[in-house]
Amino acid sequence: MIDITLPDGSVKKFDAGVTPHDVAMSISEGLARNVISASFNGTTVETKTPLTTDGSLILFTWNDKEGKKAFWHSSSHVLAQALQELYPGIKLTIGPAIENGFYYDVDFGDHVVTDKDFKTIEDKVLAIAREKYEFTMRSATKAEALAMYAAEENPYKTELIANLEDGTITFCDHATFTDLCRGGHIPNTGIIKAFKVMSVAGAYWRGDEKNKQLTRVYGISFPKQKDLTEYLELLEEAKRRDHRKLGKELELFAFSQKVGQGLPLWLPKGAALRDRLEQFLKKAQKKAGYEQVVTPHIGQKELYVTSGHYAKYGADSFQPIHTPNEGEEFLLKPMNCPHHCEIYNTKPWSYKDLPKRYAEFGTVYRYEQSGELHGLTRVRGFTQDDAHIFCTPDQLDSEFKKVIDLVLYVFSSLGFDNFSAQVSLRDKENREKYIGSDENWEKAENAIINAAKDKNLTTVVEYGEAAFYGPKLDFMVKDALGRQWQLGTIQVDYNLPERFDLTYKGSDNELHRPVMIHRAPFGSMERFIAILLENTAGNFPLWLMPEQAIILSLSEKYENYAKKVLDLLENHEIRATVDNRNETIGRKIREAEVQKLPFMLIVGEEEEKNGTISVRRHGDAGKSNQTMTIEAFAALVQEEVDKTLKTFQV
Ligand SMILES: [Zn+2]
Ligand SMILES: [Zn+2]
């Protein structure tokens, strides 16, 4: 008999040779039907692998990440088989599962696959899947494996096998198809009920452009047709919400090849939006005891040698700028922390002065390869909503809680209700690879864990994920389409205070090292606005909208009344503009709709006579407008603003 430990901690006894499928069956038939993959003692196994020792078993269904991985990995085998049957003589290379689906890199020889072939491939894959072929793993010697692909004249697989150790080589068989594979399959192909070729693209063998260019066939598969339909709808919606598309439509930002790639240009409307976000955070930070500082965009190379950034990232950064005569070397600022350390160092501090909290919307520059750039989410220049807190080790606990409060305030004001946090701690086994005393690490790790618990955060704890200089807490938000984004981060740092020789005088009259906290609730203005755009589809919370209303006059005759309405709205601190153009009201409304302006205020004869406005909401096509006084409208706006934007409480 062997002992199988399940994730809930329960231990069950089975005969040696029991399979994960059998274990699932012993729990319930329904579970056994849904289990598509498993891991035993941390290693992926097949659902029919006999288990012969004691160990921990995790069963995966489609709803688990691991389950999807096995599903898509298995599907890539079916895709490879289909391609080989459709296009005899092609050479297969590798075909891994990816975040959404999988791909297979294929040398198609003279054949060119285009989207016209997708339907044929899809039909073939589904025809194979319907046969419910089982996946079976089999070991082979290196000589056997090499011989097999030599016979097929496949140099790619031969190269892969040449790099493997004899005794570790395994194949997976299903139907008449065999592929080099390490395992982790669903029970049979019949579970694949829906499949789609998403795209084809060129890809160099092993990612090296000196090698032959292959064709990468991207696919995705699902256990139900309905899942595929939903996935495709989600993709369409994501396309509509793509921040690059919305940024253009709403005239928020642009890129210029002349200025340089990865360097966003903020247009007036985008700059106004950014400014509102900055003012919002500055106001809360002021309340939380932060002080604004300003530092230059460049710093001497020595600064980054001191901080350690140069040794670590120097080679992969923008290269130094040289002065013409003095032989000085400057780097574009890749982070604000070293500058802030030097601000701390301008004066001696006592423990009574701490914590010091320096905040800066600091623009930094980081080199990214041109192929990695993407809209506002991967850029070469961006502005962090940065701050560094310098405190005593005993203040860490309360400082951490305060930072979490600020982050949660930011999230709730901007409509991110679905978030979780990851606590990154030291690797329990390798404590020597971290800088700072064991005692201080204990303090910091406990401070993070306690603060997260105290604030009722949903957290996952990851051991070994801490930076070498300190533990951290990262926030993940789920957007309206269920996509996960990493946002704000809070990091403890023992390294920079050491490197910059930061000190304070303690109550014992001795000099001590402060602890440093790096934190950025938005992360960066660029990335945050991109995520905000995709989450709201451009319908920002009313308080954030640079332009909350537009006054549309029915004709030029009502120009004066429109101006009067504008003045009154300004008295109520409502941000509005007037559209007095000699255009039809229909056209004015359509254009305001595209701009996603929350309120359209239509004024004509009736309104002028009664001192009212006719209010139409964005997206309310088909509903009749509401006539009201300016005061009533102002109250409506205020009520809506108050719903999302509360005052920050410290
Ligand atoms: Zn496989
Ligand atoms: Zn920092």
Side-chain angles (χ1 to χ4, degrees):
M1 300 288 274
I2 53 169
D3 285 340
I4 299 292
T5 309
L6 295 168
D8 64 1
S10 65
V11 181
K12 286 187 152 194
K13 283 199 182 302
F14 292 94
D15 287 328
V18 69
T19 67
H21 177 264
D22 297 334
V23 175
M25 201 61 182
S26 79
I27 299 167
S28 86
E29 216 172 297
L31 178 66
R33 245 196 326 272
N34 287 320
V35 167
I36 56 175
S37 171
S39 89
F40 189 61
N41 291 333
T43 309
T44 306
V45 292
E46 310 286 300
T47 56
K48 60 181 180 187
T49 303
L51 309 176
T52 53
T53 60
D54 293 349
S56 303
L57 180 70
I58 310 174
L59 302 167
F60 300 114
T61 69
W62 168 255
N63 295 324
D64 299 299
K65 211 172 156 186
E66 287 299 314
K68 285 190 179 71
K69 192 175 162 197
F71 196 92
W72 287 332
H73 167 78
S74 307
S75 303
S76 90
H77 283 306
V78 182
L79 170 65
Q81 182 190 0
L83 293 173
Q84 207 164 50
E85 289 182 12
L86 287 169
Y87 313 104
I90 61 169
K91 312 237 182 304
L92 299 172
T93 71
I94 53 160
I98 52 177
E99 199 186 345
N100 290 302
F102 51 90
Y103 66 78
Y104 217 111
D105 282 352
V106 182
D107 180 350
F108 279 95
D110 294 333
H111 191 82
V112 179
V113 174
T114 68
D115 49 5
K116 289 194 190 68
D117 303 307
F118 289 4
K119 177 78 170 64
T120 315
I121 299 170
E122 287 160 8
D123 289 346
K124 187 78 183 171
V125 165
L126 289 171
I128 297 169
R130 272 194 294 276
E131 297 296 324
K132 299 189 181 161
Y133 295 116
E134 289 193 9
F135 295 96
T136 308
M137 294 299 293
R138 155 172 72 85
S139 299
T141 65
K142 196 163 179 168
E144 284 166 353
L146 286 170
M148 174 181 155
Y149 286 112
E152 282 186 20
E153 293 176 31
N154 184 326
Y156 311 103
K157 295 282 192 190
T158 310
E159 190 182 320
L160 291 175
I161 294 163
N163 291 321
L164 296 174
E165 290 283 322
D166 206 353
T168 64
I169 300 169
T170 49
F171 281 99
C172 169
D173 302 316
H174 80 271
T176 56
F177 183 81
T178 292
D179 207 344
L180 182 68
C181 167
R182 276 195 290 261
H185 303 98
I186 56 177
N188 69 72
T189 62
I191 303 166
I192 304 165
K193 294 282 200 288
F195 166 79
K196 193 159 172 52
V197 179
M198 298 304 292
S199 61
V200 286
Y204 293 105
W205 168 237
R206 305 210 131 179
D208 185 341
E209 56 187 85
K210 287 191 213 84
N211 289 337
K212 179 154 190 195
Q213 193 174 41
L214 308 167
T215 303
R216 179 166 293 179
V217 183
Y218 285 98
I220 195 160
S221 57
F222 293 93
K224 285 182 195 144
Q225 183 60 41
K226 190 176 125 256
D227 296 335
L228 174 60
T229 312
E230 277 173 14
Y231 176 73
L232 295 176
E233 280 168 8
L234 210 65
L235 277 188
E236 275 308 304
E237 184 56 30
K239 251 189 232 165
R240 276 193 288 276
R241 288 169 178 246
D242 189 318
H243 74 274
R244 294 166 300 175
K245 177 175 170 283
L246 286 171
K248 205 178 253 171
E249 285 169 11
L250 302 179
E251 299 174 26
L252 299 176
F253 58 87
F255 290 90
S256 145
Q257 286 305 318
K258 278 214 179 77
V259 171
Q261 48 185 346
L263 299 169
L265 302 174
W266 290 88
L267 308 180
K269 285 181 187 176
L273 177 75
R274 242 178 98 124
D275 185 53
R276 290 203 61 75
L277 273 175
E278 287 190 12
Q279 295 309 328
F280 154 76
L281 189 57
K282 271 185 186 165
K283 195 170 160 189
Q285 284 180 168
K286 193 172 177 199
K287 248 186 154 170
Y290 288 77
E291 297 168 286
Q292 285 295 131
V293 295
V294 178
T295 64
H297 287 233
I298 62 175
Q300 277 209 97
K301 184 177 141 190
E302 275 313 304
L303 182 69
Y304 303 104
V305 170
T306 305
S307 71
H309 291 122
Y310 189 76
K312 218 163 169 200
Y313 306 109
D316 300 314
S317 299
F318 284 112
Q319 293 307 293
I321 305 163
H322 300 269
T323 51
N325 301 320
E326 297 85 344
E328 295 164 297
E329 283 187 290
F330 290 91
L331 286 179
L332 284 172
K333 179 163 75 173
M335 53 260 300
N336 306 300
C337 347
H339 287 83
H340 289 190
C341 285
E342 283 303 285
I343 289 182
Y344 180 90
N345 260 346
T346 52
K347 181 172 160 184
W349 300 104
S350 134
Y351 70 98
K352 288 183 218 148
D353 301 318
L354 301 188
K356 294 305 294 177
R357 308 179 188 94
Y358 297 136
E360 176 178 17
F361 285 88
T363 304
V364 296
Y365 301 89
R366 293 182 192 170
Y367 169 70
E368 297 274 359
Q369 287 180 29
S370 54
E372 301 288 317
L373 299 171
H374 180 88
L376 290 182
T377 54
R378 280 296 273 282
V379 287
R380 285 175 167 175
F382 55 94
T383 304
Q384 294 179 308
D385 55 322
D386 214 355
H388 295 98
I389 301 168
F390 301 90
C391 64
T392 71
D394 291 331
Q395 288 168 335
L396 252 190
D397 219 58
S398 76
E399 283 308 301
F400 227 89
K401 280 183 193 155
K402 282 180 197 164
V403 178
I404 293 178
D405 279 339
L406 186 67
V407 172
L408 297 186
Y409 172 67
V410 167
F411 288 177
S412 82
S413 304
L414 289 151
F416 291 108
D417 304 322
N418 195 345
F419 56 83
S420 59
Q422 179 180 315
V423 180
S424 301
L425 306 178
R426 275 177 303 180
D427 179 346
K428 286 178 183 164
E429 261 87 64
N430 293 305
R431 297 209 155 164
E432 66 288 347
K433 67 178 192 187
Y434 302 93
I435 179 170
S437 73
D438 212 40
E439 188 196 347
N440 277 342
W441 268 85
E442 287 283 329
K443 247 184 208 162
E445 291 185 333
N446 286 331
I448 297 181
I449 294 167
N450 290 337
K453 209 182 273 170
D454 197 62
K455 300 297 170 191
N456 285 323
L457 293 182
T458 313
T459 50
V460 264
V461 176
E462 295 284 353
Y463 289 95
E465 287 293 305
F468 76 93
Y469 53 80
K472 59 178 180 170
L473 183 69
D474 290 316
F475 288 86
M476 265 38 114
V477 296
K478 253 200 184 147
D479 75 5
L481 301 187
R483 296 170 301 179
Q484 186 123 299
W485 300 87
Q486 199 205 312
L487 276 185
T489 177
I490 317 176
Q491 294 196 10
V492 179
D493 188 348
Y494 294 111
N495 181 42
L496 288 186
E498 200 70 44
R499 285 177 164 270
F500 281 89
D501 195 20
L502 308 185
T503 55
Y504 67 88
K505 197 171 264 178
S507 54
D508 55 2
N509 245 350
E510 300 282 325
L511 286 181
H512 298 269
R513 284 260 181 268
V515 189
M516 190 170 169
I517 300 175
H518 311 249
R519 47 103 284 181
F522 293 149
S524 83
M525 301 308 289
E526 284 72 12
R527 191 178 153 76
F528 189 78
I529 288 175
I531 297 167
L532 197 60
L533 267 167
E534 301 211 358
N535 188 45
T536 61
N539 299 301
F540 302 119
L542 191 56
W543 69 262
L544 181 61
M545 276 287 185
E547 213 177 319
Q548 296 166 312
I550 185 159
I551 304 158
L552 310 176
S553 58
L554 275 175
S555 85
E556 285 164 333
K557 271 201 287 182
Y558 311 107
E559 202 178 322
N560 284 337
Y561 181 60
K563 281 196 185 127
K564 191 177 153 201
V565 171
L566 181 68
D567 285 345
L568 289 169
L569 291 177
E570 272 168 11
N571 290 344
H572 288 283
E573 286 179 22
I574 294 171
R575 299 180 292 278
T577 50
V578 178
D579 183 352
N580 255 334
R581 291 174 306 157
N582 193 15
E583 289 288 353
T584 63
I585 192 72
R587 175 152 190 187
K588 288 182 180 179
I589 289 174
R590 274 195 304 280
E591 288 178 10
E593 285 283 354
V594 171
Q595 290 288 315
K596 297 179 191 272
L597 296 171
F599 293 103
M600 286 151 269
L601 313 178
I602 299 153
V603 294
E605 188 178 350
E606 202 55 17
E607 287 77 20
E608 178 161 20
K609 199 173 77 196
N610 301 325
T612 57
I613 48 179
S614 178
V615 180
R616 179 190 164 105
R617 284 213 72 142
H618 167 67
D620 266 2
K623 282 192 196 165
S624 53
N625 299 344
Q626 269 187 296
T627 302
M628 61 181 83
T629 61
I630 314 288
E631 284 67 33
F633 176 68
L636 181 88
V637 169
Q638 194 57 50
E639 195 188 330
E640 193 164 324
V641 165
D642 289 346
K643 247 189 271 168
T644 40
L645 184 65
K646 313 258 189 280
T647 315
F648 180 55
Q649 307 287 352
V650 276

